[in-house]
């Protein structure tokens, strides 16, 4: 192109739109077992190349191979499978509850279940997550009561957050789950700040930040990297790259210009990519990063590569912007199926046990739902007190707000 | 009202190739509220495109583009998400002309859905107009109906200064009187829902009297215009309802004329009370109509709490609360 | 006043090891206004350190740290530079307690120099207090003298909610009556410049009457307290000057008592007029003292323009303008 | 370190503080001529390694060597030298004027003169810079009238910005110099937006963003990279790494954890480092990046490595936080001396011509100063009209502001 030819604006487009037949056969993905596992104290400069290939443990046959394998017992793997099944069943029920008008809004994590559930298992009690709205798996894998989650979703009389928050915006200090914000990315730097606090206090607790592929474009993503790098904060920074941000594909956030993991390179932060649909890989890589943090070796950036199999939220219909078949064509498979196959291959699981476990889990979820609904749903039954709308703005409600509450009659 | 917004954008893109639209999900998909539907197809991806999720980037890029000579009209998905771009809006867009002695300017429009009423919780319900009004160099527009939305949006895009265009999302699908438990009236049944296809514009800075009345002036904008009308009907009080349409510059003349006539004034908005735009309106009335006032002016607003999810309708200043204020202001000596 | 701020920080760092200070240039160097001088040396770099230049990061990190259990007290180099952190401040710090039903809290203090008077131009002179007051969940404090600065800063750090602590930079080196062409009076010559070394605190939310008077109430804070006092002296009008000290929560009782006594009110601040905190004050007085008012309340404020460099003193609402308002409010029927 | 040992916070410290003797002998700097010069259309992925070494043309003997040499004629080099001398003389006078109370504030660029002056020469008329406060060289190398700059600094009756702006916050569309902001980093994304505008319009103009090392920590730095990468904007993104941000060394902004240039790698943006004290190298690298932009090949990130030899501003005293000798110890030398030596080596310059030229330039600056002062200084003589304080807030001043102006009596 010569100097006098007119410029034009390049606008990235996804490879496939509705009507196209998605085909990922030319996508190169590292084979399971192929990527090195460096020492915990490896120098960031020496492991720059890890920011590009995808670390995988389960191969096509469901066998665990390579340096990141063999970290979990059969019982731990079964628990992982149960956690994922729970998340999936919970999502399905709540999705339906929203359609039935029992609440205003819901967000599932279909296809991404392995990430939060496996990560949670690598943490210790007292560690703190700063999640987005798609990490319900963190709570479920930590045995947070399903009923409480539903109460929050229903904004009912037993809602632990007193109806103040949009459904799924959980909060639980006890379960290491920071109050979810509606504003994207803000929590990423907060996670770093929490970790800095732990370091200043001479504690042994670490923090984990969570962010979506689309949200890495937000400025607070940058703040988090700058601060984490500067103070070597004991934090794991997780990017969940599920390929989509509502209707916008990851190319707009520059996930293909370079990997999201490679954002860490400019800050000397060790950065890895992992197959997010491989429970074993997610656990292994998370554990590596968590151990680094806890041993005072500083932050790690992890890109979990996955696919958002469902709609963005109950307000969204993805068929308007991507082919329906894209999810099935997606090359990394389904996390539940893959772990199930692995366990069966080990002789530690069977189709029958799977069917039975699934049924048990589903019936427990149904039971929990009944209990939650006995406290009301958004438009029916018990509600939080209106008076509570005026509380907790401050520790002590100031005179002007008291006056407003009284004027309102509560 | 979605169609009216879309039609304004369509008209302006057709008339002026400098008009460029971008924002989160506005391109291929046409926006989460579908306000930009069909525009990418019609005008190409170079003139209507998806942006990264970065509000400071959206506004910052728009400033540069406007300084180049384009007329960007960007969307912030919800007004609640403009805060990361607040620095670029208030310290940059609003200041370029002044700083450079008008050598550079920032003719740009920032559209954002505003207000509550859709069970959006504290981060999909806010009304931040006061935060723009306090900053010199920004204009702020809030239409209350499709006809105005189109004409005011066209005027905003044509304006040579940055304009914040707040679209009350509760009005997207019909006028809303505050009775959330009643069936929705579609815009097709409202006279101001009838939007001509062609280009027309409505000047910024001019209020409209929506209901003439002799006893009390109600100052409102956006969704609250209908709530005020309903409260007047329901109480039977002969209220004059003024729809400000533009928050800044405000139409003091219309306000003053009305309050001097009625001698009483009620101000309603959905935003939190303290330092809301109602405080400015109350001050203006106090400063300019003091000797005509027969009773204290009353504000009816959202409470000074975040917008809650479950208690959305207790938070919302509905017809009952506005009606109470009307009665109270009439009873005062 | 710099020493008073430093002493408050020193006291709190000594008493509570959870108090941590960070911000741009606050560590080794001790801050561009030297408010944190000596603290890194005394308490170590883990408790007082330099931060990257990223205001959103500073406030965001402080939120996380506060949620962990520390009591961060961060500095934003100039209030004009808090805008990039406005999202974290208003949508996060201010909301953590409410969102989580007080399971998480954000006990943190954000110090920032505010106001003009040092020829700092439009980006080193702003007074953004109204932008905090409109947002539920934030407290905002503006001291007018060293004694208060220390006591209020200690109370702010001890507060379990986020507090914005605005330090009028024109007062750092002495009280300032608005006559920029006269020699500076140092704090050592002012009774409120005498600051005890030890710990003491002054409760947030309480105003102080700086000058008793019978004829008109002047509501002021920060630098404007001295300007108001000077205007009263110069006009000979028997004005009661109230120093709000805390913008939010405000001390309505003191305001109301005074205005009911005087029947007249003038409000002064340096910030731009429209939707400034003066509009809220005017509304409060109008709502609560309507039947006692003998004249329209008057606002004397910065103009609705950026703070200019060359015309700093024409912009600044000095004693002449405040004096005019006092005369006008006294002349009114 | 074990898992139960307490964590602690790492706080980066510069190598040298007042009292230390700065010693940079162990700092590895690529020799002149050592770094490759890739084709303009090289793929970002193939030139990742360029983000690390420093591109240099002038060697220790002042000879121009390697693939980035030989781009400028002797006359162009002499003009470059004159530009730098002008900047330096201008800075010295204005610094003094501030000390004499003729204005409130001044910021010099001592030691960094090569960067802006050389960059400007690689641009074409109509291109637009989005500068910080330390690129006065852009104006001076484009022959913007020195008197106008002084009028602005004095906020006098002839100030082109009517006294509205802090001294040195120039603005000139004609000279491709966007109005400077007091708020750091905001201009970086604006530059990208301007470039996008040019591309959408099918124009051939390009934009250049400017930012300091410390300011790369700001969020708008990230916005700029995200948008520039996404739309392949015709923009050159310049980082001036002068080692210091007021009292804060570049380590806090993470300039040593990885290079500032390497920030571009996470976005697939070609990223280079250049010796900012080497006029020839700055020109060559700038031209490469500018040509890429103009040929529709997208953005380039350049880290100009230099040293802030003076104080941050007239409000600052660096002896409080860094050794006085650090500037002399700094290994990249002085840009004026280096270019002078090179020209003398070429036989195109001499000590006598240098002395004479310097004197001529200084006397022109003094003359300009006299002229400027005839229009007043901050506290003396002519001033802009107070009425102008109320103008240009909007295109048409609205009623409320007119009322304020009238009330104020103007
Ligand atoms: C500051 C801000 N801007 C915009 C939004 C609206 N929004 C909500 S989710 C979303 C997409 C996020 O995508 P990604 O980060 O990829 O997360 P995912 O939904 O895929 O898990 C957007 C734009 C928001 N919540 N906050
Ligand atoms: C948003 C913002 N925060 C803080 C400041 C105060 N400030 C002015 S210059 C400066 C240092 C900038 O350092 P750097 O980016 O390295 O540029 P340099 O001065 O070295 O050229 C700071 C902190 C500001 N102007 N704007
Ligand atoms: Mg996503
Ligand atoms: Mg620097």
């Amino acid at each position: 192109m010569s100097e006098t030819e007119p410029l034009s604006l390049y606008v990235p487009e996804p490879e496939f739109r509705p009507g196209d037949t998605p085909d990922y056969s030319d996508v190169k993905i590292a084979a399971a077992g192929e990527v090195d596992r460096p020492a915990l104290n490896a120098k960031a400069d020496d492991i720059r190349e890890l920011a590009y290939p995808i670390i995988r443990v389960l191969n096509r046959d469901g066998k665990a191979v390579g340096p990141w394998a063999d970290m979990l017992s059969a019982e731990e793997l079964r628990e992982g499978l149960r956690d994922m099944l729970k998340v999936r069943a919970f999502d399905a029920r709540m999705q339906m509850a929203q359609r039935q008008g029992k609440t205003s809004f819901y967000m599932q994590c279909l296809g991404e279940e392995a990430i939060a559930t496996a990560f949670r298992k690598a943490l210790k009690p007292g560690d703190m997550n700063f999640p987005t709205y798609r990490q319900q798996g963190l709570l479920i894998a930590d045995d947070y009561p399903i009923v409480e989650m539903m109460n929050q979703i229903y904004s009912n009389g037993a809602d632990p957050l007193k109806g103040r928050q949009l459904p799924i915006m959980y909060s639980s200090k006890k379960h290491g789950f920071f109050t979810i914000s509606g504003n994207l990315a803000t929590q990423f730097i907060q996670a770093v700040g929490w970790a800095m606090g732990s370091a200043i206090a001479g504690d042994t607790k670490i923090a984990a930040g969570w962010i979506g592929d689309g949200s890495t474009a937000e400025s607070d993503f940058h703040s988090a990297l700058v601060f984490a790098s500067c103070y070597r904060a004991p934090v794991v920074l997780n990017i969940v790259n599920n390929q989509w941000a509502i209707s916008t594909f990851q190319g707009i956030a520059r996930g293909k210009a370079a990997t999201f993991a490679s954002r860490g390179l400019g800050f000397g932060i060790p950065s890895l990519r992992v197959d997010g649909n491989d429970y074993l890989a997610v656990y292994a890589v998370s554990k590596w990063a968590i151990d680094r943090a806890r041993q005072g070796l500083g932050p790690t950036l992890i890109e979990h590569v996955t696919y958002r199999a469902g709609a963005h939220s109950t307000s969204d219909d993805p068929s308007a912007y991507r082919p329906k078949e894209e999810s099935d064509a997606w090359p990394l498979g389904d996390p539940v199926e893959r772990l199930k196959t692995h366990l069966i291959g080990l002789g530690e699981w069977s189709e029958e046990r799977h069917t039975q476990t699934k049924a048990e889990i589903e019936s427990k979820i149904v039971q929990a739902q009944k209990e939650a609904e006995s406290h009301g749903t958004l438009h029916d039954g018990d509600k939080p007190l209106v008076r509570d709308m005026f509380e907790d703005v401050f520790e002590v409600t100031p005179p002007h707000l008291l006056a407003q509450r009284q004027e309102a009659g509560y | 009202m979605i169609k009216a917004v879309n039609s304004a954008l369509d008209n302006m893109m057709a008339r002026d190739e400098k008009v460029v639209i971008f924002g989160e999900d506005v391109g291929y998909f046409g926006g989460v509220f579908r306000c930009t539907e069909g525009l990418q197809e019609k005008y190409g991806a170079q003139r209507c495109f998806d942006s990264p999720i970065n509000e400071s980037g959206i506004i910052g890029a728009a400033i540069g583009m406007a300084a180049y000579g384009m007329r960007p009209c960007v969307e912030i998905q919800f007004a609640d998400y403009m805060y990361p771009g607040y620095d670029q809006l208030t310290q940059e867009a609003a200041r370029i002309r002044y700083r450079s002695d008008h050598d550079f300017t920032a003719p740009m429009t920032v559209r954002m859905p505003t207000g509550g009423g859709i069970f959006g919780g504290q981060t999909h319900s806010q009304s931040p107009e006061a935060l723009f009004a306090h900053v010199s160099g920004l204009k702020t527009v809030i239409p209350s109906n499709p006809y105005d939305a189109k004409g005011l949006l066209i005027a905003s895009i044509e304006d040579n200064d940055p304009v914040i265009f707040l679209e009350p999302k509760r009005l997207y699908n019909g006028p809303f009187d505050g009775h959330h438990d009643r069936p929705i009236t579609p815009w097709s049944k409202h006279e101001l829902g009838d939007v001509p296809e062609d280009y027309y514009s409505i000047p910024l800075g001019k209020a409209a009297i929506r209901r003439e009345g002799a006893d009390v002036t109600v100052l409102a904008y956006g969704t609250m215009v209908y709530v005020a009308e309903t409260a007047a009907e329901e109480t039977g009080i002969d209220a004059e309802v003024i729809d400000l349409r533009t928050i800044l510059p405000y139409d003091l003349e219309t306000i003053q004329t009305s309050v001097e006539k009625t001698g009483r004034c009620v101000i309603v908005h959905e935003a939190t009370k303290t330092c809301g735009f109602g405080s400015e309106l109350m001050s203006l009335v106090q400063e300019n109509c003091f000797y005509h006032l027969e009773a204290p002016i009353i504000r009816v607003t959202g409470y000074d709490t975040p917008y809650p999810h479950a208690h959305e309708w207790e938070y919302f200043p509905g017809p009952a609360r506005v009606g109470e204020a009307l009665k109270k202001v009439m009873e005062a000596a």
Side-chain angles (χ1 to χ4, degrees), chain A, chain B:
Chain A
M1 214 175 165
S2 100
E3 296 221 349
T4 45
E5 255 179 73
L7 293 160
S8 70
L9 194 77
Y10 168 77
V11 179
E13 264 295 309
E15 277 162 290
F16 312 112
R17 284 293 194 190
D20 298 338
T21 305
D23 176 4
Y24 290 102
S25 54
D26 63 337
V27 177
K28 270 183 224 129
I29 296 171
E34 220 177 62
V35 183
D36 265 2
R37 175 184 173 131
L40 283 189
N41 63 355
K43 278 196 196 146
D45 275 353
D46 296 337
I47 55 172
R48 273 193 225 141
E49 284 311 314
L50 283 185
Y52 299 93
I54 298 177
I55 296 170
R56 312 175 71 207
V57 169
L58 292 177
N59 69 14
R60 282 177 186 256
D61 310 324
K63 290 223 174 77
V65 296
W68 296 88
D70 302 323
M71 301 197 55
L72 292 164
S73 70
E75 184 40 36
E76 285 167 330
L77 290 173
R78 275 191 297 266
E79 202 178 323
L81 187 61
R82 280 192 295 265
D83 285 342
M84 289 199 283
L85 286 171
K86 247 197 233 175
V87 171
R88 195 165 282 186
F90 175 76
D91 273 356
R93 292 303 298 182
M94 291 297 97
Q95 185 87 0
M96 203 195 299
Q98 192 277 343
R99 289 221 190 85
Q100 293 165 341
K102 292 176 181 169
T103 187
S104 58
F105 181 76
Y106 190 70
M107 294 183 103
Q108 52 176 346
C109 66
L110 190 68
E112 307 175 30
E113 294 89 347
I115 299 166
T117 54
F119 189 88
R120 176 68 250 186
K121 295 300 189 194
L123 288 174
K124 290 195 176 173
D127 292 342
M128 185 62 67
N129 286 287
F130 287 75
T132 81
Y133 43 73
R134 237 183 270 288
Q135 277 85 50
Q136 49 267 60
L138 290 173
L139 284 173
I140 288 177
D142 200 47
D143 284 328
Y144 181 82
I146 294 278
V147 180
E148 292 283 286
M149 293 174 81
M150 292 175 169
N151 289 336
Q152 197 282 327
I153 290 167
Y154 288 148
S155 281
N156 66 16
D159 174 2
L161 304 182
K162 300 190 175 142
R164 291 179 191 148
Q165 276 277 53
L166 202 65
I168 65 100
M169 300 271 175
Y170 318 105
S171 172
S172 170
K173 194 174 197 169
K174 194 175 147 202
H175 290 269
F177 193 96
F178 191 70
T179 158
I180 297 182
S181 176
N183 299 47
L184 296 171
T186 49
Q187 73 285 351
F188 219 52
I189 171 68
Q190 292 165 4
V192 177
W194 196 98
M196 289 169 68
S198 178
I200 295 168
D203 201 342
T204 60
K205 301 195 192 89
I206 70 129
W210 294 87
I211 202 166
D213 51 305
S215 307
T216 60
E218 287 283 12
S219 297
D220 280 336
F221 172 78
H222 178 70
S223 311
L225 293 188
V226 175
F227 278 71
S229 166
C230 183
Y231 305 109
R232 296 188 191 155
V235 65
V236 180
L237 295 169
N238 294 290
I239 302 170
V240 180
N241 175 7
N242 65 3
Q243 314 300 321
W244 288 92
I246 311 187
S247 76
T248 304
F249 84 119
Q250 55 137 322
I252 295 281
R254 311 315 294 136
K256 280 192 153 171
T259 64
F260 288 107
S262 67
R263 300 276 161 92
L265 299 183
F267 300 89
I269 298 179
S271 303
L272 293 78
R273 296 182 89 198
V274 61
D275 178 346
N277 291 12
D278 177 343
Y279 188 92
L280 286 82
V282 172
Y283 180 85
V285 169
S286 303
K287 184 82 173 68
W288 187 86
I290 289 166
D291 287 350
R292 283 191 76 247
R294 203 176 319 273
Q295 292 182 28
L297 296 164
T300 308
L301 184 67
I302 305 178
E303 175 183 352
H304 302 264
V305 183
T306 182
Y307 186 88
R308 193 195 80 207
H312 171 74
S313 74
T314 48
S315 314
D316 176 49
D317 172 13
S319 71
Y321 52 80
R322 69 183 192 189
K324 283 210 177 80
E325 312 75 31
E326 196 177 80
S327 172
D328 292 333
W330 178 247
L332 295 181
D334 178 79
V336 173
E337 285 306 310
R338 284 174 70 192
L339 181 52
K340 177 184 140 194
T341 308
H342 175 60
L343 272 167
I344 292 177
L346 288 179
E348 296 282 354
W349 199 243
S350 67
E351 288 291 351
E352 299 70 49
R353 277 181 82 176
H354 193 79
T355 313
Q356 193 193 335
T357 304
K358 226 176 120 188
E360 275 167 25
I361 286 172
E362 272 158 19
S363 98
K364 271 193 193 147
I365 300 273
V366 171
Q367 235 174 301
Q369 191 179 6
K370 276 197 194 124
E371 189 185 332
E373 291 181 8
S374 76
H375 302 294
T377 58
L378 181 58
H379 303 293
D380 280 309
D382 290 354
K383 281 196 152 214
L385 295 178
V386 181
R387 190 189 165 99
D388 280 332
M389 176 169 96
F390 296 92
E391 299 296 320
D392 292 317
V393 178
F394 296 99
E395 184 180 36
V396 179
T397 304
H400 71 282
L401 200 48
L402 273 182
Q404 290 180 22
R405 193 188 83 201
Q406 280 153 9
E407 215 187 284
Y410 303 104
Chain B
M1 196 147 109
I2 292 165
K3 273 193 199 150
V5 168
N6 189 274
S7 170
L9 296 172
D10 190 0
N11 264 278
M12 287 310 295
M13 288 187 92
R15 284 171 79 93
D16 183 353
E17 56 178 31
K18 288 180 174 149
V19 175
V20 171
I21 290 172
F22 59 103
E24 296 159 19
D25 302 297
V26 306
Y28 185 88
F29 184 57
V32 294
F33 289 103
R34 321 315 307 271
C35 289
T36 56
E37 204 174 352
L39 298 175
Q40 180 175 82
E41 208 175 352
K42 191 159 171 190
Y43 299 99
Q46 295 218 10
R47 294 192 53 211
C48 176
F49 51 88
D50 289 328
S51 80
I53 305 176
N54 179 322
E55 292 75 14
S56 180
I58 293 170
I59 295 167
I63 292 169
M65 215 180 268
Y68 171 81
M70 310 302 273
R71 231 166 241 288
C73 177
V74 300
E75 176 177 305
I76 298 294
Q77 206 161 70
F78 287 84
D80 317 60
Y81 301 142
M82 68 81 194
Y83 299 96
Y86 194 64
D87 187 46
Q88 285 283 356
L89 259 184
T90 62
Q91 307 303 300
E92 300 292 327
R95 302 288 150 87
I96 301 296
R97 177 185 293 278
Y98 193 79
R99 257 166 42 188
S100 69
D101 194 44
H102 64 259
D103 195 21
F104 295 97
T105 57
M108 55 191 269
T109 306
V110 185
R111 295 178 39 246
M112 22 183 139
T114 191
I118 60 157
F119 275 105
Q122 53 182 284
T123 57
H124 303 88
S125 306
Q126 297 178 35
S127 298
E129 65 274 7
L131 302 175
F132 305 127
H134 184 48
V135 171
S136 54
L138 293 178
K139 295 184 179 174
T140 301
V141 177
I142 311 183
S144 72
N145 60 72
Y147 185 86
D148 281 7
K150 177 167 174 179
L152 289 167
L153 181 52
I154 286 177
S156 300
I157 295 173
E158 290 182 331
D159 199 280
N160 288 326
D161 287 306
V163 180
I164 312 290
F165 194 82
L166 293 165
E167 301 168 7
K169 65 177 92 65
R170 178 67 217 210
L171 297 182
Y172 273 147
N173 296 316
F176 176 62
D177 65 6
H179 288 291
H180 60 99
D181 36 9
R182 295 190 194 156
I184 292 174
T185 334
W187 278 116
S188 56
K189 298 209 175 139
H190 195 281
E191 51 163 358
L192 292 168
D194 198 13
V195 179
E197 269 189 29
D198 289 348
Y199 169 97
Y200 64 95
S201 80
I202 298 175
L204 307 187
K206 295 273 168 259
I209 297 176
R210 295 294 171 205
R211 183 188 197 279
E212 302 218 4
D215 290 347
V216 48
T217 301
V218 184
L219 303 179
Y221 45 86
T223 312
M224 301 313 290
V225 169
Y226 304 97
V227 176
E229 286 177 347
T230 304
E233 305 298 316
E234 290 178 358
T235 56
I237 289 170
D238 191 17
E240 178 144 302
V241 177
I242 296 181
D243 176 357
L244 292 181
R245 304 203 288 195
T246 305
I247 293 297
L248 202 107
Y250 49 76
D251 182 354
L252 182 58
E253 203 183 313
T254 300
I255 296 170
Q256 192 169 343
T257 307
S258 177
V259 178
E260 286 178 0
K261 176 177 79 177
T262 63
R264 293 166 205 267
C265 182
V266 167
I267 296 162
V268 285
H269 61 61
E270 225 181 309
T272 48
K273 184 174 198 169
T274 299
C275 246
F277 193 67
S279 69
E280 180 60 34
L281 289 172
M282 190 176 268
S283 296
L284 289 172
V285 172
Q286 193 280 148
E287 285 167 341
N288 293 284
C289 314
F290 184 81
Y291 296 103
H292 292 83
L293 284 176
E294 289 165 40
I297 314 158
I298 299 180
R299 288 184 278 185
V300 187
T301 70
Y303 299 115
D304 283 346
T305 74
Y307 216 120
H309 178 252
H311 297 300
E312 159 147 308
W313 297 115
E314 284 79 7
Y315 182 93
F316 186 87
R321 279 173 63 202
V322 178
E324 282 309 310
L326 288 177
K327 283 186 234 159
K328 194 167 159 199
V329 82
M330 290 312 300
E331 280 158 18

